[in-house]
Amino acid sequence: MAQEPAPKRRRLSPPSDALPGFTKWNLEQDYENRSRKSKKDTQHKKLPIKTADGEIIDQAPEPELAKDDDADSFLASDDEVDSGIADVKADRLPKQPQLSSKEQILQSKEDLARMASMLSENPEEHIGLLGPLAEVADSKNVTVKKLGLATQLAVFKDIIPGYRVRPLGKDDMQAKVSRDVRNLRSFEQGLLGGYKRYVYGLQKLAKGSGSNDSNTASLGTVAMACACTLLEAAPHFNLRNELIGIVVGKLSGRPSAGLDQDFARCLAALEHVFKDDDSGHISLEAVAQLAKMLKTKNYHIHEGVLNTFLHLRLLNEFSGKASTERVEKAAPREEWLNGKKPKAYKKEFRTKREKKVMRERKEVAKEMKEADATVSYEERDKNQAETLKLVFIAYFRILKARVDHLMGAVLEGLARYAHLINQDFFGDVLEVLKDLIAEAEADTEAPDDDDEEASAADTAVDAAIARNATRESLLCITTAFALLQGQVDVAKSATSLSLDLNFFITHLYRLLLPLSLDAELELSSRTATLKDPNSLPTPSADSRVNVATTTVLLLRSLSAVLLPPTSTKSVPPLRVAAFTKQLLSANLHVPQKSAVALLGLLNQVAKTHTRKVAGLWNTEERKGDGVFDPSAGLEGANPMAATAWDGELLRLHFDPKIRESVKMLERSVRE
């Protein structure tokens, strides 16, 4: 019989010595005994610092925040918890010390200098610094803002290219280009964006020029100077119309305000632009804006604005004739130089090979001309013709409106541009000048004795009007003769054009004796005997327009009447004798310098018209009978019956120059 296996016994736990080590771990107790530390509570020791004395100090770690026990309990309210957290954060944030105004300026100078130097050294790579540079200029500190505007101006003057940047369209942005072209476009667009922001900022700041607030006025002055400098330095670049608008906006101020610093700076900028404009585009845009501004302001502007027209290059370069409506093209150079067409020249024989070489050379020359951006003469003449039309429109509208304080500037401008006025327009111009002289005579008439209501102020105003009216009369006479003297063909055909200047000659003869008694004969319209704080400043030597004295205007008029440049035979003997006798009488009353100048003119007249004036010094050659009457006018004065007895009195004059001038005059007559 088989033996049965013994029943299995339950295996008991081994003794403690035989158990593995991990069975002895009490995981819960270990977790309970573990310290409560988070990552936020870890402290990092800071590096030691070295003081100015050389002592090394270890920086203490930040103190731990004491947590409130109630903050984590449900008994604390939400508001208390939030406020506690806010206080803790406020205590932990480092408090930055407020910089003083002087420190802000020094720090801004360093930042501006660093960015400006980087932009100037490599503008293509650092063109993105224009944004931070503009942010520094937007500071609330007025001094920092001025420094920022000046720094941006210097940077733009350095990095602006010599061509106009074209804004990119959608097709240009999507087109595939090389890396160099892409970099160049990125630079141009970045430059154009920063330049627009700068110019538009100048527009806003320039409006504060002349403000009552000192900070606003100073910022406006800086902005105006920056705009004028940019217009002078880079008139070819973008936003040219905006810069011109800033300048014209300042020039539209009231004429009673006078010439302040900003006003004079804008005038100088326009004159500089007019002188350096080769193509005529900039001058045309500036004159168009000026003409529009004049019409909007109803010509209530300072006369210095009109005087800027005299600096246009078309006075020396443009050779056509123009009016307010049309422009005549100039004749070919050979015709107006020789007076006839050139003779036909013999055509030179060339072979086919030579002709082919000539065509290739012309094409190469044309390409080189386009590459060099040479100004086309046809394009320049077109721009100057349009500019001249706008100038004449402004002049004649002012004459029609009879703007008193601008009449002198307009008449002198017309005298300068007389050689560019169309022949068909001469009659209208002379009629306007005659009307001005008639109005001047009406203003100079003495008031009635029965009028006792006129005050002393009205009398002073009437005296000022009389002086200005006499000056305007002389300017009208000078302008009328300048119309003919500037064009030889018009002087020859004066009869066919019905141009009669006897009215101006007669009026000049009637003015001689009253002018000799004028106490302010040697003073100009801008000369003051005493320094008036409200008077205009003295203009510079380069811009002396409408500042001639009455004596100078008189000498110009007399030279045009007695010594015309075309032909001396056209002056009748009666006119020469009458003016000579009247000038000798006037020399007895005029001041010393004016007497010397008039005697010098009479000396030239005596040399040119010796036979026509010899009868005044020699009674045997006298051709007239009767009595000389200087008050009867030029036609009825009967100068041939007079004698030059005034010269004997001038021989006894206290001034040795006048005595010597009289002797030279008599010597010229005898020769």
Side-chain angles (χ1 to χ4, degrees):
M1 174 176 191
Q3 187 177 358
E4 295 180 358
K8 293 183 178 181
R9 295 181 179 180
R10 187 173 182 182
R11 195 171 185 177
L12 298 177
S13 299
S16 58
D17 299 336
L19 291 176
F22 68 88
T23 57
K24 300 179 181 180
W25 293 352
N26 192 346
L27 301 179
E28 294 179 355
Q29 187 65 30
D30 292 341
Y31 184 82
E32 181 67 22
N33 295 332
R34 188 179 302 173
S35 61
R36 270 54 170 181
K37 290 185 179 181
S38 61
K39 295 182 179 180
K40 296 182 179 179
D41 297 331
T42 58
Q43 300 293 332
H44 298 282
K45 187 177 181 180
K46 296 183 179 181
L47 296 176
I49 60 174
K50 186 175 182 180
T51 62
D53 301 335
E55 183 181 358
I56 298 177
I57 302 176
D58 293 334
Q59 299 188 69
E62 296 180 359
E64 296 184 358
L65 296 177
K67 295 185 179 180
D68 192 358
D69 296 338
D70 295 338
D72 295 336
S73 65
F74 65 92
L75 297 177
S77 62
D78 295 339
D79 296 338
E80 293 177 356
V81 173
D82 295 340
S83 63
I85 295 174
D87 295 339
V88 169
K89 290 183 178 180
D91 294 338
R92 292 191 62 185
L93 290 176
K95 296 182 179 180
Q96 297 181 356
Q98 294 291 336
L99 297 178
S100 62
S101 178
K102 186 176 181 180
E103 292 176 348
Q104 290 180 7
I105 294 173
L106 292 176
Q107 183 177 358
S108 300
K109 284 183 178 181
E110 294 178 358
D111 296 339
L112 291 172
R114 175 177 52 82
M115 290 185 287
S117 61
M118 295 175 65
L119 280 168
S120 299
E121 291 175 359
N122 194 349
E124 290 82 4
E125 183 178 353
H126 303 100
I127 194 64
L129 291 177
L130 289 178
L133 195 65
E135 292 178 359
V136 176
D138 292 338
S139 174
K140 296 181 179 180
N141 193 321
V142 178
T143 305
V144 175
K145 199 174 187 66
K146 293 179 182 179
L147 291 173
L149 293 176
T151 305
Q152 286 179 288
L153 173 64
V155 169
F156 283 124
K157 286 177 63 178
D158 289 341
I159 67 176
I160 283 179
Y163 55 89
R164 192 181 185 92
V165 175
R166 180 178 62 87
L168 297 180
K170 295 183 179 179
D171 298 337
D172 298 330
M173 298 295 293
Q174 297 176 358
K176 294 183 179 180
V177 294
S178 62
R179 181 182 299 177
D180 295 338
V181 175
R182 185 167 59 253
N183 294 337
L184 179 60
R185 286 183 175 180
S186 176
F187 163 71
E188 291 177 348
Q189 298 307 311
L191 172 62
L192 187 58
Y195 189 72
K196 284 183 178 179
R197 179 178 179 180
Y198 180 64
V199 173
Y200 291 149
L202 292 181
Q203 280 185 331
K204 295 179 181 179
L205 293 176
K207 295 179 181 179
S209 176
S211 176
N212 295 328
D213 187 11
S214 59
N215 293 334
T216 305
S218 61
L219 284 175
T221 300
V222 174
M224 195 69 65
C226 293
C228 293
T229 306
L230 268 183
L231 185 60
E232 295 175 356
H236 62 279
F237 199 60
N238 300 57
L239 303 179
R240 181 173 60 202
N241 284 328
E242 283 74 7
L243 293 176
I244 296 176
I246 295 175
V247 175
V248 173
K250 179 60 181 178
L251 297 180
S252 62
R254 297 177 299 172
S256 59
L259 287 172
D260 57 357
Q261 182 181 1
D262 298 340
F263 193 95
R265 183 70 181 87
C266 292
L267 287 180
L270 275 184
E271 293 175 2
H272 184 273
V273 168
F274 289 159
K275 291 178 181 178
D276 293 346
D277 185 16
D278 294 330
S279 62
H281 289 290
I282 308 172
S283 299
L284 179 59
E285 294 176 3
V287 173
Q289 291 197 28
L290 285 174
K292 184 177 180 181
M293 181 268 292
L294 292 175
K295 188 176 180 181
T296 304
K297 290 292 183 178
N298 199 17
Y299 308 102
H300 191 64
I301 49 96
H302 195 272
E303 65 173 357
V305 180
L306 287 179
N307 295 336
T308 57
F309 291 161
L310 302 180
H311 297 275
L312 292 168
R313 295 184 64 168
L314 54 91
L315 272 173
N316 301 324
E317 297 178 354
F318 190 69
S319 56
K321 310 296 179 185
S323 63
T324 57
E325 299 177 354
R326 62 189 182 91
V327 179
E328 294 180 357
K329 293 184 178 181
R333 187 173 181 84
E334 294 84 359
E335 293 185 11
W336 60 266
L337 280 180
N338 303 328
K340 57 182 180 180
K341 293 184 179 180
K343 296 181 179 180
Y345 60 92
K346 185 178 180 180
K347 189 175 181 180
E348 184 180 356
F349 175 76
R350 291 189 180 93
T351 62
K352 291 183 178 180
R353 185 180 182 86
E354 291 176 350
K355 291 180 181 179
K356 183 179 180 180
V357 173
M358 290 292 294
R359 285 195 299 268
E360 292 177 355
R361 290 180 179 176
K362 288 182 180 179
E363 292 178 359
V364 173
K366 183 178 180 180
E367 293 177 359
M368 293 296 294
K369 184 177 180 180
E370 294 177 355
D372 294 339
T374 305
V375 179
S376 174
Y377 292 102
E378 297 179 358
E379 184 180 3
R380 185 186 63 183
D381 290 345
K382 181 180 178 180
N383 293 331
Q384 290 182 349
E386 295 298 326
T387 304
L388 186 61
K389 286 172 58 177
L390 293 174
V391 171
F392 283 155
I393 288 173
Y395 280 161
F396 291 115
R397 281 180 177 174
I398 293 174
L399 287 178
K400 184 178 180 180
R402 298 293 194 271
V403 185
D404 295 335
H405 68 283
L406 297 180
M407 297 305 294
V410 170
L411 291 173
E412 186 157 354
L414 285 177
R416 296 279 189 93
Y417 285 103
H419 64 287
L420 300 178
I421 299 179
N422 195 349
Q423 297 181 12
D424 300 337
F425 209 58
F426 278 12
D428 298 335
V429 176
L430 293 179
E431 289 298 328
V432 172
L433 297 178
K434 289 180 181 179
D435 294 340
L436 290 175
I437 291 178
E439 293 176 2
E441 288 183 350
D443 293 338
T444 53
E445 290 181 357
D448 298 335
D449 297 336
D450 298 336
D451 189 6
E452 299 180 356
E453 297 179 358
S455 61
D458 296 336
T459 305
V461 172
D462 293 340
I465 294 176
R467 290 196 299 271
N468 294 335
T470 304
R471 180 181 181 84
E472 291 177 8
S473 299
L474 294 175
L475 284 172
C476 290
I477 296 170
T478 305
T479 305
F481 280 93
L483 292 176
L484 295 182
Q485 293 177 2
Q487 306 182 21
V488 179
D489 53 346
V490 177
K492 293 181 179 179
S493 59
T495 305
S496 60
L497 293 175
S498 301
L499 300 179
D500 187 11
L501 300 180
N502 290 329
F503 174 82
F504 302 98
I505 297 172
T506 304
H507 184 72
L508 178 61
Y509 180 79
R510 294 172 56 186
L511 283 177
L512 290 179
L513 289 181
L515 280 176
S516 64
L517 302 177
D518 188 2
E520 298 182 355
L521 186 64
E522 295 182 351
L523 300 180
S524 66
S525 59
R526 298 183 185 179
T527 305
T529 54
L530 296 178
K531 183 61 178 179
D532 186 3
N534 298 323
S535 62
L536 299 178
T538 304
S540 60
D542 297 334
S543 60
R544 287 187 174 273
V545 181
N546 192 27
V547 294
T549 62
T550 309
T551 302
V552 174
L553 294 177
L554 180 60
L555 291 172
R556 291 179 185 174
S557 304
L558 291 173
S559 300
V561 173
L562 301 177
L563 300 172
T566 55
S567 176
T568 57
K569 296 181 180 180
S570 60
V571 184
L574 183 65
R575 182 191 305 173
V576 178
F579 273 94
T580 301
K581 173 58 181 174
Q582 200 79 327
L583 288 174
L584 285 173
S585 301
N587 276 318
L588 298 174
H589 310 287
V590 297
Q592 173 190 2
K593 295 181 180 179
S594 300
V596 173
L598 291 176
L599 286 174
L601 176 65
L602 285 177
N603 192 11
Q604 297 180 8
V605 172
K607 291 180 179 180
T608 306
H609 308 282
T610 306
R611 296 183 179 180
K612 298 178 182 179
V613 299
L616 297 176
W617 279 268
N618 191 356
T619 55
E620 296 180 357
E621 297 182 3
R622 186 186 306 173
K623 300 180 181 180
D625 296 330
V627 180
F628 170 68
D629 187 6
S631 61
L634 184 60
E635 299 297 334
N638 193 15
M640 295 302 180
T643 57
W645 56 267
D646 313 87
E648 299 300 325
L649 295 180
L650 292 174
R651 279 175 171 268
L652 304 177
H653 201 275
F654 70 91
D655 188 9
K657 294 183 179 180
I658 295 179
R659 297 197 297 266
E660 184 65 25
S661 299
V662 173
K663 293 179 182 179
M664 292 178 61
L665 174 61
E666 295 178 352
R667 194 180 304 116
S668 300
V669 173
R670 294 172 183 174
E671 293 177 355

